[in-house]
Amino acid sequence: MARRYPLRMETRVLGGVQIILAVFHCALALLCDCLFNREVATKSTGHIPVLLTLGYIYWSSPFFVISGSMSVSAQKKPTRYKLTSTIVMSIFSACFSAFGTIILCIAFFSYTAEMKEYVWSDLAGATLLQYLLFSTLTELIIVSLILSWIVRALHHPEETDEEIWDLQRPSEGEDFTGDFREYFWMKE
């Protein structure tokens, strides 16, 4: 039987947030494509070419989805293979996020500096770049948290199933909060 590692329950939630951020990222990419290529037909977002910005957005979304899916899967059944795979994909996701943060910071600050008058398309472009920057930073923070939890779980000493259940048992004075295991332990 494969050894199971104690991984925090929040890993599954943050994996789901990664997937939602990827979908949000993809939707913003479609809006950027419509605005920068079809509506205004600009060649650059500040000092960064539009194709580089759009390429980053479209190529990073699958990595965010795969990384989030693997985080959810690793939390459900935390074996060494799943945790290692999640680490690899999270590192790719973190690299894409760091690269995107640099690109979007340069694009946003140079794009807003080049605005000479308040035209709706310029304001919409700046807002889209802001949202992309915030979602990329959020992805970077989430990936960092997940990586730290997985590394901590991998370095955790081996525990038997009884020790893991004892760690999750509520103390004597606690009420039932909705988890089946807590209800089970309260009945003893």
Side-chain angles (χ1 to χ4, degrees):
M1 186 166 117
R3 177 180 170 201
R4 296 186 72 168
Y5 295 88
L7 189 59
R8 293 178 67 147
M9 292 293 285
E10 291 87 357
T11 307
R12 188 183 304 180
V13 174
L14 290 181
V17 171
Q18 279 183 298
I19 295 169
I20 291 170
L21 278 174
V23 171
F24 182 69
H25 222 63
C26 209
L28 288 175
L30 292 172
L31 290 174
C32 283
D33 187 28
C34 288
L35 179 70
F36 293 132
N37 285 337
R38 295 186 180 104
E39 183 72 30
V40 182
T42 60
K43 299 292 181 207
S44 66
T45 54
H47 297 301
I48 304 292
V50 169
L51 288 178
L52 181 64
T53 306
L54 289 176
Y56 158 72
I57 299 167
Y58 281 122
W59 279 98
S60 64
S61 296
F63 282 94
F64 296 167
V65 169
I66 293 169
S67 177
S69 300
M70 291 185 78
S71 297
V72 170
S73 174
Q75 199 287 321
K76 286 182 180 178
K77 188 175 179 186
T79 61
R80 185 169 195 81
Y81 172 74
K82 283 188 177 183
L83 293 178
T84 305
S85 303
T86 304
I87 285 176
V88 170
M89 281 311 298
S90 293
I91 288 173
F92 282 137
S93 184
C95 290
F96 266 99
S97 296
F99 178 69
T101 300
I102 293 168
I103 286 176
L104 292 171
C105 276
I106 294 170
F108 171 69
F109 289 118
S110 61
Y111 186 77
T112 55
E114 290 180 0
M115 288 177 25
K116 294 179 178 50
E117 58 187 51
Y118 290 108
V119 180
W120 77 268
S121 59
D122 291 340
L123 293 174
T127 304
L128 287 173
L129 290 173
Q130 267 184 337
Y131 286 152
L132 283 166
L133 179 61
F134 291 144
S135 67
T136 302
L137 285 172
T138 305
E139 176 70 23
L140 186 60
I141 291 168
I142 289 172
V143 166
S144 301
L145 278 172
I146 290 174
L147 277 172
S148 69
W149 291 343
I150 291 173
V151 168
R152 191 176 310 146
L154 282 172
H155 292 295
H156 199 273
E158 187 170 1
E159 295 175 341
T160 63
D161 285 340
E162 289 179 12
E163 289 173 341
I164 292 173
W165 281 100
D166 285 340
L167 289 175
Q168 296 173 349
R169 180 184 297 186
S171 60
E172 285 298 319
E174 289 186 39
D175 291 334
F176 172 65
T177 58
D179 190 10
F180 177 76
R181 289 178 300 223
E182 291 180 40
Y183 180 73
F184 176 73
W185 293 117
M186 296 295 278
K187 287 291 187 181
E188 284 184 351

